[in-house]
């Protein structure tokens, strides 16, 4: 297993630059995706209705070791941090890869890290080693600072009955983390039933999880569980910004390449001033989004007291940039951009779905206003 130790950073000031370790991690993930998750491969898997690729996930999570980046070495992980996880999500965003990294290696892992180590350690080690996929049984649209959904009911002894809606990657999960009225429980996926939903984003399909006297293993009391979920939502929202940057970067790169090669009136389309202006504005948007996403990842990695504000700023900005970049990609590719065979539609759908995930831009604008004590509209 490849290890990627966390690079130490100064306590004061944000570090937005990529370290050599992060560049090496990026190269490893990008090479894997180029070999195993091409647009043609992705479209073929989506047409089967089973986008999750277990072989790709095993290589990414276990062999490269990305599943344990957020887990300390003493608990069986890589001992890296949020900056390295952000790099992985950038690359997965560039490929709209159908891998449960955000849900399992980030959200579920952060929830488990916030629980009683004695109870959560066995499952945490399994996740860090990439042997199991674990997904929080919570709506992906649940935002930091928002009220948690009503917990499922514990009939006693961890026998759970209830329903969790719009759970992303539920079909790929081996274990579900279920918030019940008596605490947080780990429930085997085989013990629940799923109601698959028609997704907008075909690469991250949601499902409703139905528990009918499903046995669970208690990991935390109600207070600890709520705090752990709140921390996971904050980290997830901050790192989702890096996925959105990856989406925007791919869309910009592919659009520029297309406009350089496509000719009209015996001139490359990219030579027309109006299109140059649109792409220049988009480049500025992507550059500023990258800075915001890097700031959020660094703030999380250093446990900065400004992390909630930095994350809210990143989500408020990066969400819209990803959508604009994907829309420009579809439009400036012309007719081919509207076809199923071209992957542009997958990026637009992921960008639109990510704009709702872990809080809308409007929600995060409201958080920024609250944190800075500025009046919001």
């Amino acid at each position: 297993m490849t290890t990627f130790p966390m690079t130490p950073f100064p306590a004061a000031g944000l570090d937005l630059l990529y370290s050599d370790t992060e560049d090496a991690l990026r190269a490893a993930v990008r090479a894997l995706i180029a070999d195993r998750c091409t647009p043609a491969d992705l479209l073929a898997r989506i047409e089967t209705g089973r986008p999750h690729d277990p072989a790709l996930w095993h290589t990414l999570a276990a062999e490269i070791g990305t599943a344990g980046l957020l887990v300390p070495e003493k608990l069986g992980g890589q001992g890296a941090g949020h900056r390295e996880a952000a790099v992985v999500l950038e690359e997965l965003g560039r490929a709209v890869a159908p891998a449960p990294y955000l849900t399992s290696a980030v959200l579920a892992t952060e929830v488990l890290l916030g629980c009683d180590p004695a109870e959560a350690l066995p499952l945490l080690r399994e996740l860090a080693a990439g042997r199991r996929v674990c997904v929080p049984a919570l709506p992906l649209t649940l935002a930091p600072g928002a009220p948690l959904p009503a917990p499922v009911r514990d009939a006693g002894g961890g026998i759970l009955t209830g329903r969790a809606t719009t759970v992303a990657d539920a079909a790929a999960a081996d274990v579900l983390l279920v918030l019940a009225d008596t605490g947080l429980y780990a429930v085997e996926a085989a013990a629940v039933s799923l109601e698959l939903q028609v997704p907008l984003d075909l690469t991250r399909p949601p499902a409703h999880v139905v528990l009918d006297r499903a046995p669970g293993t208690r990991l935390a009391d109600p207070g600890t569980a709520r705090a752990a979920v709140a921390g996971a939502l904050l980290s997830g929202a901050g790192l989702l910004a890096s996925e959105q940057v990856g989406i925007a970067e791919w869309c910009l790169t592919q659009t520029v390449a297309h406009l350089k090669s496509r000719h009209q009136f015996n001139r490359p389309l990219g030579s027309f001033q109006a299109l140059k202006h649109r792409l220049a504005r988009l480049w500025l948007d992507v550059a500023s989004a990258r800075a915001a996403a890097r700031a959020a990842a660094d703030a999380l990695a250093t446990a900065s007291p400004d992390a909630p504000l930095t994350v809210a700023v990143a989500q408020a900005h990066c969400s819209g940039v990803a959508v604009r970049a994907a829309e420009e990609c579809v439009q400036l590719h012309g007719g081919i951009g509207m076809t199923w065979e071209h992957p542009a539609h997958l990026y637009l759908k992921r960008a639109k779905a990510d704009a709702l995930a872990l809080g809308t831009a409007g929600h995060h604008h409201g958080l920024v206003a609250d944190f800075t004590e500025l009046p919001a509209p």
Side-chain angles (χ1 to χ4, degrees), residues 8 85 89 156 167 172 257 270 287 326 333 371:
L89 279 166
V167 177
H333 270 79
F371 292 142

Side-chain angles (χ1 to χ4, degrees), residues 210-344:
V210 180
L211 301 99
D212 184 8
R213 297 188 60 78
T217 301
R218 192 170 187 261
L219 303 177
D221 60 74
T224 302
R226 287 192 293 270
V229 169
L233 293 175
L234 178 66
S235 293
L239 296 183
L240 177 63
S242 292
E243 177 178 292
Q244 291 165 328
V245 167
I247 294 168
E249 185 181 48
W250 184 93
C251 291
L252 174 60
T253 301
Q254 294 299 313
T255 304
V256 169
H258 176 75
L259 294 182
K260 284 182 176 180
S261 63
R262 185 74 172 174
H263 286 67
Q264 192 174 71
F265 304 116
N266 206 31
R267 292 175 56 187
L269 282 174
S271 68
F272 291 98
Q273 190 173 29
L275 298 185
K276 287 182 179 180
H277 287 176
R278 288 171 66 171
L279 292 174
R281 285 194 297 269
L282 185 57
W283 184 90
L284 290 172
D285 285 344
V286 174
S288 60
R290 180 181 298 282
R294 292 299 293 166
D298 189 70
L300 291 168
T302 58
S304 168
D306 290 332
L309 172 59
T310 310
V311 167
V313 169
Q315 264 304 305
H317 182 56
C318 295
S319 178
V321 170
V323 172
R324 286 196 298 275
E327 289 174 343
E328 290 283 62
C329 182
V330 171
Q331 185 175 27
L332 294 180
H333 270 79
I336 192 174
M338 300 295 294
T339 64
W340 178 266
E341 289 75 14
H342 195 281

Side-chain angles (χ1 to χ4, degrees), residues 28-86:
V29 175
R30 186 173 294 188
L32 171 65
I33 289 173
D35 182 53
R36 305 269 288 276
C37 191
T38 65
D41 295 333
L42 183 56
L43 287 167
R45 291 201 66 84
I46 286 172
E47 288 177 349
T48 68
R50 302 175 67 88
H52 181 233
D53 184 349
L56 173 66
W57 174 250
H58 174 76
T59 304
L60 176 70
E63 295 181 14
I64 295 181
T66 63
L69 289 176
L70 297 180
V71 181
E73 288 185 273
K74 64 181 181 180
L75 300 181
Q78 299 292 320
H82 297 83
R83 291 173 58 99
E84 290 81 1

